[in-house]
Amino acid sequence: MAAHILRGCLGVLIMGVMLAPAPLYAQDFRFDEPQRPSRAYAGLHLIAVQPLGEFADYVDWGGGVGGELLYAFDRQGAFGLRMHLGLMIYGHETKRVPLGPQLGRINVDVNTSNNIFIAGIGPQVMLPSGFVRPYLNGTVGLSYFFTQSSVEGSSDFEPFARSTNFDDATFAWAAGGGLYIPLRRGRRHPVSLDIGAQYHANGEARYLREGSIQEDGTGEIYFDPIRSQTNLVTYRLGIAVGL
């Protein structure tokens, strides 16, 4: 009986050895198949905002976050179409006030932020290869200036009331450039550090700044908007990932 079992095990082992190369070969073949390089890229970045000209006379530097999508028309990514979005804050105020005339014992925080939302789309050209890949781009789109107030308690993580106090939108164009520094190379899902700057021509707009919202003590609120040129430069640092 033991001899039969031994011969049976030996037969299974020999058959397994004979069949093993087939799946291994197939696995190696699949591994060696050429992969299509990434044509689409997504990025997230931090933004620093420098007001220029008249805008700098009224507001200080700001900051925010942004994102971008890039579609490359060629495998090297030398020519592409880029779309970017950004949300930036250039002013902020917080006031501690009673919740209402009859609720003086309950105080809340009223937070007011002065914001700019930007969106644009346009071409991008980039050095097709190299350890560092410089690029230039240009976009057309809009810049949306808005001031928003929210109310929250001392221990709240989210506001329980929010209102847009004032807003204005303008046609905008932008031009800039930067550097892609590869952090992970490969045909699929490459990762690069994105460092760049962009000039934004927003034209003339009406907007609020810190101190532009006045209260008379009776509940009435008055706005003192500014009208000026609103051109600025953004500096960004982020990550771009091939999809």
Side-chain angles (χ1 to χ4, degrees), residues 151-168:
V151 179
E152 62 184 39
S154 299
S155 59
D156 292 344
F157 293 100
E158 293 292 334
F160 58 82
R162 189 187 301 272
S163 177
T164 298
N165 309 117
F166 193 88
D167 63 351
D168 194 13

Side-chain angles (χ1 to χ4, degrees), residues 2 29 46 51 81 123 206 209-210 215 220 228 236 241:
F29 179 79
L46 300 176
L81 184 67
R206 299 175 72 231
R209 63 171 179 172
E210 295 180 27
E215 302 176 35
E220 293 293 329
S228 74
R236 66 180 177 276
V241 180

Side-chain angles (χ1 to χ4, degrees), residues 172-232:
W173 63 266
L179 299 172
Y180 283 132
I181 303 175
L183 301 177
R184 178 183 180 274
R185 296 177 180 272
R187 296 173 65 86
R188 298 291 292 172
H189 310 303
V191 180
S192 297
L193 182 67
D194 182 10
I195 303 173
Q198 201 163 32
Y199 171 78
H200 298 261
N202 300 317
E204 192 173 83
R206 299 175 72 231
Y207 57 93
L208 302 182
R209 63 171 179 172
E210 295 180 27
S212 292
I213 300 178
Q214 303 292 330
E215 302 176 35
D216 64 359
T218 64
E220 293 293 329
I221 297 177
Y222 301 92
F223 300 132
D224 183 19
I226 298 169
R227 188 182 188 95
S228 74
Q229 294 289 320
T230 55
N231 301 326
L232 55 90

